[in-house]
Amino acid sequence: QVQLVESGGGSVQAGGSLKLSCTASGFTFNSGCMAWFRQAPSKEREAVGGIYPSGSRTYADSVQGRFTISRDGAKSILYLQMDSLKPEDTGTYYCAAQRPSELGCSSLLRPQNMDYWGKGTLVTISS
């Protein structure tokens, strides 16, 4: 059974940093197609970025250069380092993964492509 558990959310001032973690179980972590998404109140869920099994990464334009996704294969943890935070980064952040496929990963920036989700962790950025 696939499980994704996020942690590390909290409240910081604009310009600050936070590091989120997603502890994964139930699948071969290093072969996983994984991503971070976020959802602000009254808005649709949107992509933050993702990481492919090769280690290559993709980011949404809104976070490019400020956020960094990494993973620790030995611990099965996916990270999201968030720097230069802005009030518009406020929202619930979700970790997600795709079901393994011989065809490889589908786009990691589309929530419709993700099969497994964590319950989220809240990030609040004050101005």
Side-chain angles (χ1 to χ4, degrees):
Q1 182 181 0
V2 174
Q3 285 192 319
L4 302 171
V5 180
E6 303 93 340
S7 61
S11 298
V12 297
Q13 289 190 326
S17 298
L18 275 176
K19 187 173 185 177
L20 306 184
S21 300
C22 170
T23 301
S25 62
F27 66 102
T28 304
F29 181 79
N30 287 335
S31 299
C33 308
M34 300 189 70
W36 288 97
F37 292 81
R38 66 186 182 187
Q39 188 166 17
S42 304
K43 292 189 176 180
E44 292 188 354
R45 193 167 297 189
E46 64 175 9
V48 173
I51 185 167
Y52 294 87
S54 64
S56 62
R57 289 159 281 191
T58 182
Y59 297 96
D61 290 344
S62 58
V63 306
Q64 182 74 46
R66 299 188 298 121
F67 290 13
T68 303
I69 294 173
S70 62
R71 66 186 179 200
D72 184 331
K75 297 180 180 179
S76 296
I77 299 177
L78 183 71
Y79 297 105
L80 178 64
Q81 176 67 46
M82 305 185 292
D83 300 316
S84 302
L85 284 161
K86 305 175 182 180
E88 52 263 44
D89 295 318
T90 293
T92 299
Y93 282 68
Y94 299 91
C95 174
Q98 293 180 0
R99 188 175 294 114
S101 170
E102 294 182 349
L103 300 177
C105 305
S106 300
S107 169
L108 298 178
L109 299 182
R110 299 185 67 201
Q112 306 94 307
N113 290 344
M114 312 310 289
D115 300 298
Y116 307 106
W117 293 86
K119 294 183 178 180
T121 185
L122 180 63
V123 172
T124 303
I125 312 302
S126 58
S127 58

